[in-house]
Amino acid sequence: MGDFVTIKEIDEAVDAIHERTKVKPRVGIVLGSGLGDIAEMVEDAEIIPYVEIPHWPRSTVVGHSGRLVMGKLRGVPVAVMQGRAHYYEGYPMDVVTMPIRVLQRLGVETMILTNAAGAVNPDFEPGDVMIITDHISLIGMVGPNPLRGPNIDEFGERFPDMSQPYDRKMIALAQTIAARNGTQIHQGCYICLSGPSFESPADLRFLRVIGADAVGMSTVPEVIVARHGGMRVFAMSGISNKANLDGSVMTTHEEVLAAGKLIVPKLKTIILNVLENMDSST
Ligand code: HPA
C-alpha cells in the first residue's frame, strides 16, 4: 500500500495552528478561484500562510493566496481557507482534502465551501450563484476518491453514506436569505472533473445529459471527506463562464477570476447571514 495521510500528520498540523492562534473555529470556509476577497470580512484576523503549516498542501494556482485566516464572522469563530489545493496540481486526493481533516480536529463542525464553476445549465449566466444541492463525483467514482487508502476510524466508517451530502436546512436558509435580499440564486448539481483542461463541447453535452448544472475541478472531494467525518456541509458555486456547447466560445482562467468580482458580494451576503442564523434554524 502506498503512503497516505496519517492522523499523526493531521495532528502535527493542528498543533502548529494551536501554537499560532487561540481561535477555536466552529465553521470552516473554503474560498475558490477569484473568491479570496471574501476573507477580508474576517474580524480580528490572524493569518497563517499554508507554508507554515506542516503537511498542508500549497496552491500553485493564480487567484489562490494560500493563507488560513482565523478570526470571527458575525460573532462565530471561523477558519477561512483563502485558496485550496487541487488534484490537477499533482496532489493525491487524500492530500488535497487533508486541510478538511485538520479543520475538523480544530473543532469545526460545519463547512461552507465555495468554488468557481462553468455553467452547464443553459439558464445560468456568468456572475450567478448556484447553491449545490447534490453532486456527481465523476472523478472519484472511478478511482481517485479521497477516502481511498486505510480508513481513519477516528473520523468515520469505511463506507460512509452520501445520501444527503448537502445540509437541507442550510440550503433552505440560504434560499430565504437570497430572496429577502432580492438576489436571484440557482440550485443545482455540481460535477467535479480532474482538469486542468476545460471541457470540449462533447464533454459538456455529456455532463448535461448525466444531470450536471455546473462543472468544476474541486469541492466534491472535500465534501466527501467532511461528510465522512460527520460534518455539516453547505456549498455554493460562483458561475464564471457559460458552457461551450458548440465550440464557439473559449474559456480562460482570466474570465474565471473576473467573474469572481461579481460573485464575491453575493457570496459575502449569503455567508454572513447563514452564519448568523444557522443555529437558530436547525
Ligand atoms: N470548467 C471546469 N472548471 C471550471 C470552469 C469550467 O468551465 N469554470 C471554472 N471552473
Side-chain angles (χ1 to χ4, degrees), residues 20-78:
R20 294 285 298 267
T21 175
K22 292 202 165 31
V23 177
K24 297 264 178 291
R26 285 187 42 228
V27 175
I29 303 177
V30 181
L31 303 179
S33 298
L35 307 177
D37 286 354
I38 292 173
E40 288 165 2
M41 317 190 278
V42 177
E43 294 149 30
D44 305 324
E46 294 178 67
I47 292 168
I48 311 174
Y50 293 164
V51 289
E52 294 173 19
I53 310 173
H55 316 295
W56 191 289
R58 297 172 208 175
S59 177
T60 60
V61 189
V62 176
H64 287 260
S65 332
R67 313 188 310 170
L68 187 61
V69 182
M70 313 271 295
K72 282 198 169 170
L73 277 177
R74 293 281 158 100
V76 180
V78 294

Side-chain angles (χ1 to χ4, degrees), residues 99-117:
I100 306 296
R101 298 299 200 194
V102 175
L103 295 190
Q104 183 165 14
R105 297 288 269 190
L106 286 170
V108 168
E109 296 156 355
T110 303
M111 285 301 308
I112 299 179
L113 299 129
T114 67
N115 59 52

Side-chain angles (χ1 to χ4, degrees), residues 217-232:
M217 307 169 190
S218 68
T219 307
V220 171
E222 293 151 346
V223 171
I224 290 172
V225 165
R227 293 297 301 144
H228 176 248
M231 295 161 106
R232 176 168 63 163

Side-chain angles (χ1 to χ4, degrees), residues 99-278:
I100 306 296
R101 298 299 200 194
V102 175
L103 295 190
Q104 183 165 14
R105 297 288 269 190
L106 286 170
V108 168
E109 296 156 355
T110 303
M111 285 301 308
I112 299 179
L113 299 129
T114 67
N115 59 52
V120 182
N121 186 321
D123 295 338
F124 294 1
E125 296 292 335
D128 285 357
V129 169
M130 182 189 89
I131 298 176
I132 303 178
T133 54
D134 203 349
H135 68 224
I136 301 174
S137 174
L138 193 60
I139 177 168
M141 262 180 211
V142 290
N145 186 297
L147 302 178
R148 180 172 175 268
N151 187 54
I152 308 183
D153 298 330
E154 285 88 341
F155 287 103
E157 54 190 301
R158 173 76 288 187
F159 300 106
D161 171 68
M162 286 292 147
S163 57
Q164 279 186 34
Y166 302 89
D167 187 79
R168 293 192 179 167
K169 287 185 176 150
M170 290 187 78
I171 293 169
L173 174 61
Q175 196 67 56
T176 306
I177 290 160
R180 204 195 298 141
N181 284 283
T183 311
Q184 201 224 334
I185 51 173
H186 307 287
Q187 292 192 9
C189 178
Y190 175 88
I191 188 158
C192 177
L193 276 53
S194 149
S197 47
F198 289 117
E199 301 72 40
S200 71
D203 285 336
L204 286 161
R205 289 194 296 271
F206 164 72
L207 301 184
R208 186 72 190 136
V209 167
I210 65 172
D213 294 295
V215 56
M217 307 169 190
S218 68
T219 307
V220 171
E222 293 151 346
V223 171
I224 290 172
V225 165
R227 293 297 301 144
H228 176 248
M231 295 161 106
R232 176 168 63 163
V233 171
F234 173 69
M236 292 182 286
S237 288
I239 302 300
S240 53
N241 52 284
K242 293 279 270 186
N244 170 26
L245 287 173
D246 61 3
S248 62
V249 280
M250 281 178 63
T251 305
T252 64
H253 188 55
E254 287 66 34
E255 182 184 15
V256 172
L257 297 182
K261 301 260 179 296
L262 283 175
I263 296 161
V264 162
K266 296 181 191 176
L267 294 187
K268 276 185 176 173
T269 306
I270 297 171
I271 290 172
L272 286 178
N273 283 283
V274 163
L275 286 173
E276 210 166 23
N277 296 298
M278 63 183 187

